[in-house]
């Protein structure tokens, strides 16, 4: 395939070379293990370690902690190429790297970075980020999980729901209310909790429709005691970090969707170029071409916007509304593309021997995770009114 997308022109020569290297790595080291990951409900520690050793995990992180010293675009390229092969592995890595590692880089002490960031970038451990609770993930500023001071320590009590990587994580970033009222950003604190801390327990992985390669479970905090040096950043500022992290996560959801869209297009073009119906290749029918054109359009638009937003984030700009636009648009485009891919494959699209069924299942996740489509519309409308002074 020749890359004819307009978005490529937004990459530097060096970034394009990096993209080729990552793509080859994914084809060689990851693709042969996708079925095993889906079956086992997780990627193996060996794959994670290989990615760490190849410098793929920490490409954007400071060299002092084992990273490659690159910009956020390098992380985007890795996310896109991972999702193109397996969206489940991509969300596990999104948590490890785009969320947890980034919080540690932004606000960790030197000791926290050495202890948690270095092994994460090296691919020696998995990590989790705990925001959602059983009473409703959309209302993220009203957690029931609390942390109270006890001398120099903090005691965390509560539970978190749908936590990616939790059955295999070495440590957790946990958002808990430490002061203030529900639905207020002030008064939340971000804690680092080791998996073996007494009182912390992760449940059994859920059996789920989407993202089967990524383990998800409930996590309970039953009077979990941590010392003050487990606070990440400042006390009572944690929910501001969460909101900032969510903007970034939504942009990275765009990268995941771009990878999924590309995977759909790859499969749909290949299959329709081979399959004959009524004596002619599927690709020669205009009803097939309509599907391919809409897929290519969704991919092109999502990718251009993704790369623009990554450049804006690298320049330190706030992109709240645009991040929601990208998340909403690209997840709708990916869902439609996955549905059309299944359709192009006909009955084979519903069989597990082709990746279309997995692409279809996984695409649905991005209309729900990291803020549902309804929440993105609420944010887009709110930010739009705000910009008019309402
Ligand atoms: C596989 C998987 C992995 C996940 N990983 C993590 C993780 O690692 N860490 C983490 O913290 N969370 C994680 N989540 C949680 C995810 O972010 C939440 O599921 C999501 O935010 C939605 O929350 P909810 O499921 O509680 O739905 P709810 O908030 O209960 O929403 C239910 C429905 O109500 C709609 N709704 C909500 N508010 C409004 C409104 N004002 N108007 C109209 N409709 C509304 C929603 O759009 C949705 O359709 C994960 C979820 C999944 C499925």
């Amino acid at each position: 395939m020749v890359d004819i997308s307009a978005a490529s022109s937004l990459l530097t020569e060096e970034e394009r070379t990096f993209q080729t290297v990552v793509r080859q790595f994914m084809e060689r080291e990851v693709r042969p293990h996708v079925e095993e990951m889906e079956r086992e409900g997780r990627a193996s520690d060996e794959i994670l370690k290989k990615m760490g050793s190849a410098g793929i995990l920490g490409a954007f992180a400071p060299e002092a902690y084992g990273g490659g010293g690159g910009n956020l675009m390098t992380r985007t390229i890795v996310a896109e190429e991972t999702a193109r092969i397996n969206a489940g592995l991509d969300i596990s890595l999104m948590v490890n790297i785009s969320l947890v590692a980034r919080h540690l880089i932004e606000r960790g002490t030197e000791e926290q970075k050495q202890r948690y960031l270095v092994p994460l970038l090296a691919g020696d451990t998995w990590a989790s980020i705990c925001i959602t609770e059983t009473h409703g993930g959309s209302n993220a500023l009203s957690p029931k999980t609390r942390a109270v001071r006890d001398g120099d320590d903090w005691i965390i009590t509560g539970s978190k729901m749908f936590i990616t990587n939790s059955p295999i994580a070495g440590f957790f970033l946990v958002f808990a209310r430490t002061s203030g009222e529900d639905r207020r950003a002030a008064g939340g604190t971000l804690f680092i909790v080791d998996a073996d801390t007494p009182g912390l327990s992760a449940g059994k992985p859920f059996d789920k429709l989407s993202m089967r390669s990524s383990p998800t479970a409930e996590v309970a905090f039953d009077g979990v005691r941590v010392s003050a040096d487990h606070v990440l950043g400042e006390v009572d500022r944690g929910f501001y970090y969460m909101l900032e992290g969510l903007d970034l996560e939504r942009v990275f959801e765009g990268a995941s969707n771009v990878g999924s869209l590309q995977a759909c297009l790859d499969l749909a073009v290949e299959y329709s170029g081979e399959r004959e119906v009524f004596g002619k290749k599927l690709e020669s029918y205009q009803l097939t071409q309509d599907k391919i054109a809409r897929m290519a359009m969704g991919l092109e638009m999502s990718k251009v916007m993704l790369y623009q937003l990554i450049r804006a984030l690298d320049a330190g700009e706030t992109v709240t509304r645009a991040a929601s636009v990208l998340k909403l648009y690209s997840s709708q485009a990916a869902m439609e593309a996955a549905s059309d891919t299944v359709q192009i494959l006909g009955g084979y699209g519903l069989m597990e021997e082709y990746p279309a069924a997995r692409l279809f299942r996984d695409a649905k996740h991005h209309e729900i995770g990291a803020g549902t489509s309804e929440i993105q519309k609420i944010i887009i409308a709110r930010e739009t009114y705000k910009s008019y002074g309402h």
Side-chain angles (χ1 to χ4, degrees):
M1 180 203 69
V2 180
D3 191 351
I4 54 165
S5 88
S8 311
S9 65
L10 300 172
L11 297 181
T12 62
E13 201 52 48
E14 207 182 334
E15 287 162 348
R16 271 199 287 268
T17 306
F18 180 70
Q19 186 177 45
T20 306
V21 170
V22 176
R23 191 168 295 168
Q24 288 167 347
F25 177 94
M26 294 293 169
E27 288 293 344
R28 194 178 61 243
E29 305 291 346
V30 180
R31 197 187 286 283
H33 299 285
V34 172
E35 275 177 34
E36 172 197 323
M37 289 181 214
E38 290 284 284
R39 207 173 45 245
E40 298 294 322
R42 58 168 296 185
S44 67
D45 292 340
E46 290 71 39
I47 285 197
L48 186 70
K49 184 65 201 167
K50 264 191 190 165
M51 294 180 90
S53 302
I56 283 177
L57 298 178
F60 79 103
E63 290 172 47
Y65 306 103
N71 54 12
L72 270 184
M73 190 63 85
T74 56
R75 173 67 203 125
T76 313
I77 289 168
V78 173
E80 210 182 300
E81 297 301 327
T82 310
R84 184 176 182 173
I85 305 287
N86 184 358
L89 173 63
D90 170 59
I91 73 155
S92 276
L93 295 184
M94 185 194 299
V95 169
N96 268 17
I97 305 298
S98 305
L99 306 181
V100 175
R102 181 143 160 112
H103 279 299
L104 287 164
I105 292 166
E106 295 279 300
R107 44 197 68 95
T109 61
E110 187 54 31
E111 200 195 330
Q112 288 169 338
K113 286 178 183 165
Q114 292 298 341
R115 183 164 169 196
Y116 297 103
L117 178 62
V118 169
L120 202 54
L121 300 180
D124 289 333
T125 189
W126 300 91
S128 286
I129 190 155
C130 305
I131 299 173
T132 304
E133 301 195 354
T134 43
H135 62 276
S138 303
N139 189 2
L141 289 178
S142 306
K144 295 197 191 319
T145 301
R146 307 255 150 190
V148 292
R149 270 190 205 275
D150 183 36
D152 284 343
D153 295 345
W154 288 91
I155 313 266
I156 308 169
T157 304
S159 68
K160 299 282 179 178
M161 191 51 161
F162 301 140
I163 303 305
T164 297
N165 297 340
S166 55
I168 54 174
F171 70 95
F172 296 74
L173 294 194
V174 185
F175 291 91
R177 189 161 282 288
T178 39
S179 71
E181 296 160 33
D182 266 6
R183 305 191 68 180
R184 302 271 173 213
T189 302
L190 179 54
F191 295 93
I192 310 175
V193 186
D194 292 297
D196 58 3
T197 311
L200 184 154
S201 55
K204 262 181 58 183
F206 292 118
D207 188 7
K208 55 193 193 302
L209 172 75
S210 306
M211 304 299 182
R212 294 184 181 172
S213 295
S214 171
T216 317
E218 191 170 359
V219 184
F221 302 87
D222 186 8
V224 170
R225 179 182 287 273
V226 291
S227 51
D229 60 358
H230 283 69
V231 170
L232 183 54
E234 287 178 45
V235 170
D236 286 343
R237 299 285 307 162
F239 293 162
Y240 293 104
Y241 308 151
M242 174 174 80
L243 294 173
E244 190 195 303
L246 281 174
D247 278 357
L248 185 98
E249 185 177 0
R250 285 168 189 153
V251 175
F252 275 103
E253 289 268 327
S256 307
N257 288 324
V258 163
S260 301
L261 278 156
Q262 186 67 61
C264 289
L265 199 57
D266 293 345
L267 178 58
V269 167
E270 187 193 343
Y271 189 87
S272 60
E274 285 168 3
R275 177 75 168 171
E276 286 194 6
V277 290
F278 297 109
K280 283 201 306 189
K281 296 265 168 64
L282 259 183
E283 68 178 12
S284 64
Y285 293 101
Q286 288 182 344
L287 284 174
T288 309
Q289 291 166 13
D290 168 76
K291 294 182 180 68
I292 298 295
R294 280 186 289 106
M295 264 182 232
M297 184 170 71
L299 174 63
E300 190 79 85
M301 299 294 283
S302 302
K303 206 165 170 177
V304 167
M305 189 168 188
L306 168 68
Y307 289 178
Q308 293 285 7
L309 289 191
I310 288 292
R311 295 283 187 232
L313 282 171
D314 259 331
E317 289 171 31
T318 303
V319 297
T320 305
R321 181 178 73 171
S324 287
V325 170
L326 171 64
K327 206 249 175 193
L328 179 62
Y329 175 80
S330 63
S331 53
Q332 286 173 348
M335 190 70 241
E336 185 183 306
S339 175
D340 282 345
T341 302
V342 169
Q343 199 68 21
I344 286 176
L345 268 70
Y348 298 101
L350 301 171
M351 300 296 125
E352 290 294 337
E353 74 182 277
Y354 284 94
R358 173 171 52 81
L359 292 170
F360 181 74
R361 287 198 299 269
D362 288 350
K364 186 62 196 167
H365 171 86
H366 291 298
E367 294 190 323
I368 292 173
T372 62
S373 295
E374 289 79 3
I375 295 299
Q376 304 317 313
K377 286 177 189 165
I378 290 169
I379 295 170
I380 294 164
R382 183 193 69 205
E383 294 297 313
T384 302
Y385 276 118
K386 228 199 271 178
S387 72
Y388 280 85
H390 289 220

